[in-house]
């Protein structure tokens, strides 16, 4: 009987969340407001690199990039609440709440030095909001084909009136379609409403290095050429306001640049890491 109790205790411990810094290279979880939040830590060394996925994907999306960057620094990928293994919160999935949860995750992991924040798509919106709210936490920003608030509804304006109805129907159906989780639907809704306005007025910080990696690839979609042109113009407009921003455009990849050109993303992260280490 004693043997079985020991085994059972070991199993319980192995599935519990510890609020102390764990060994590297292990998938771990911490508890935030009583909910398990999962993350994967790989590598060692400062500054650390923290990855934020776009709308829907789990932390596995950055698997290849994280693995290679972890040869140069400590890396953290995580599942936001309600995505992957992380448990859901019963709150609005907006930038304010998501950023606060990320800060609590970082604090519980034990990252006490400024880190480089890497965000893709909606993760770019989260990264921009996070650095504006917690500027002392971040020493560098890399955004991979980030969501651009100004572009979202300009896409609608390009369309004829009859096509605008179709555009609106797609938006409304995504917000209610039960094939997507409640978390993803809620994040999608906020991306086009409160989150866009929250980020568009904040700009970019002037005191840290920033790299934007954007896709300029034109697809076969009817409006792809016009939308891409607007996106490139908007990305270039950031340079006029923030001259320290580095902009890289690629026509070899669509939205998921880290999948089709992982080395491009990895090299930019490592370059920023090396510059940070020499300061």
């Amino acid at each position: 009987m004693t043997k079985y109790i020991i085994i059972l205790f070991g199993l319980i411990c192995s599935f519990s969340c510890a609020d102390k810094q764990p060994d590297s290279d292990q998938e771990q979880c911490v508890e935030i407001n009583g909910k398990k939040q999962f993350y994967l830590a790989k590598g060692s060394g400062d500054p650390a690199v923290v990855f934020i996925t776009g709308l829907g994907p789990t932390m596995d999306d950055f698997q290849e990039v994280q693995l290679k960057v972890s040869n140069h620094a400590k890396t953290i990928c995580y599942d936001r609440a309600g995505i992957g293994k992380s448990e859901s919160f019963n709150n609005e999935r907006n930038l304010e709440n998501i950023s606060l949860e990320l800060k609590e995750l970082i604090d519980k992991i034990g990252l006490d030095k400024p880190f480089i924040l890497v965000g893709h798509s909606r993760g770019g919106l989260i990264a921009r909001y996070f650095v504006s709210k917690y500027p002392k936490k971040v020493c560098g920003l890399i955004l991979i084909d980030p969501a651009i608030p100004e572009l979202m509804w300009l896409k609608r304006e390009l369309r004829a009136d009859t096509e605008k109805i179709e555009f609106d129907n797609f938006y409304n159906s995504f917000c209610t379609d039960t094939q997507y989780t409640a978390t993803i639907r809620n994040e999608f809704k906020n991306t086009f409403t409160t989150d866009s306005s929250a980020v568009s007025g904040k700009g970019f910080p002037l005191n840290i290095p920033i790299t934007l990696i954007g896709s300029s690839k034109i697809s076969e979609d009817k409006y792809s050429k016009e939308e891409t042109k607007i996106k490139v113009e908007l990305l270039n407009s950031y340079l006029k306001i923030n001259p320290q921003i580095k902009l890289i455009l690629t026509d070899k990849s669509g939205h998921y640049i880290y999948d089709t050109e992982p080395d491009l993303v990895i090299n930019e992260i490592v370059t920023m890491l090396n510059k940070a280490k020499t300061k």
Side-chain angles (χ1 to χ4, degrees):
M1 177 64 72
T2 302
K3 175 182 176 182
Y4 292 117
I5 292 174
I6 293 173
I7 293 173
L8 179 61
F9 180 76
L11 288 171
I12 292 172
C13 290
S14 69
F15 284 102
S16 65
C17 287
D19 286 348
K20 62 183 181 179
Q21 186 169 357
D23 296 332
S24 188
D25 296 345
Q26 298 293 321
E27 189 174 293
Q28 303 284 336
C29 70
V30 297
E31 284 195 3
I32 299 176
N33 296 330
K35 300 290 187 177
K36 292 180 181 180
Q37 307 296 295
F38 284 82
Y39 69 95
L40 178 65
K42 282 184 175 291
S44 61
D46 295 315
V49 180
V50 177
F51 295 89
I52 308 177
T53 58
L55 180 66
T58 68
M59 59 179 148
D60 294 339
D61 231 34
F62 277 118
Q63 186 174 36
E64 180 178 356
V65 174
Q66 181 184 18
L67 179 62
K68 292 186 178 179
V69 174
S70 67
N71 292 324
H72 305 270
K74 184 179 183 70
T75 61
I76 302 292
C77 283
Y78 78 108
D79 285 339
R80 293 196 293 282
I83 294 176
K85 295 181 180 179
S86 290
E87 295 178 329
S88 300
F89 289 118
N90 186 25
N91 63 3
E92 197 66 32
R93 304 311 301 154
N94 54 32
L95 296 183
E96 175 66 22
N97 289 331
I98 291 172
S99 294
L100 177 59
E101 292 155 14
L102 175 56
K103 179 185 178 296
E104 291 189 30
L105 175 73
I106 292 303
D107 289 344
K108 289 197 172 186
I109 290 173
L111 291 186
D112 54 1
K113 295 181 180 179
F115 51 84
I116 292 172
L117 198 53
V118 180
H120 169 248
S121 191
R122 174 167 168 76
L125 284 181
I126 298 169
R128 287 180 63 181
Y129 190 87
F130 184 92
V131 73
S132 71
K133 190 171 180 66
Y134 308 106
K136 293 182 179 179
K137 292 280 187 183
V138 181
C139 65
L141 197 60
I142 296 179
L143 306 183
I144 307 167
D145 214 38
I148 303 174
E150 299 90 341
L151 177 61
M152 293 175 183
W153 290 109
L154 282 176
K155 289 184 176 183
R156 184 181 187 277
E157 295 307 310
L158 287 173
R159 286 156 171 76
D161 289 341
T162 54
E163 292 172 311
K164 287 177 182 176
I165 296 172
E166 182 180 353
F167 185 92
D168 293 341
N169 287 340
F170 167 77
Y171 169 82
N172 292 328
S173 65
F174 198 108
C175 292
T176 57
D177 194 334
T178 55
Q179 72 172 303
Y180 304 107
T181 66
T183 293
I184 292 175
R185 296 198 307 271
N186 193 275
E187 283 203 25
F188 179 84
K189 178 198 70 175
N190 280 300
T191 297
F192 282 84
T193 53
T194 57
D195 291 352
S196 295
S197 58
V199 168
S200 59
K202 292 187 179 297
F204 289 90
L206 296 169
N207 60 337
I208 62 171
I210 300 171
T211 298
L212 306 180
I213 306 175
S215 168
S216 60
K217 185 176 182 178
I218 298 173
S219 71
E220 296 181 359
D221 182 83
K222 179 179 178 181
Y223 291 98
S224 178
K225 185 176 181 179
E226 291 89 343
E227 290 176 0
T228 302
K229 180 182 177 182
I230 293 172
K231 180 171 77 170
V232 170
E233 289 174 351
L234 287 169
L235 289 173
N236 274 294
S237 72
Y238 295 149
L239 307 184
K240 298 176 182 178
I241 304 171
N242 300 73
Q244 92 279 16
I245 291 178
K246 178 181 180 182
L247 174 60
I248 299 171
L249 295 171
T250 175
D251 60 3
K252 297 178 182 178
S253 300
H255 190 45
Y256 295 90
I257 300 171
Y258 55 89
D259 274 343
T260 49
E261 295 181 84
D263 288 342
L264 172 60
V265 174
I266 292 163
N267 290 341
E268 289 305 316
I269 297 173
V270 172
T271 296
M272 189 174 288
L273 275 169
N274 291 336
K275 288 181 179 178
K277 290 175 182 179
T278 59
K279 290 185 178 181

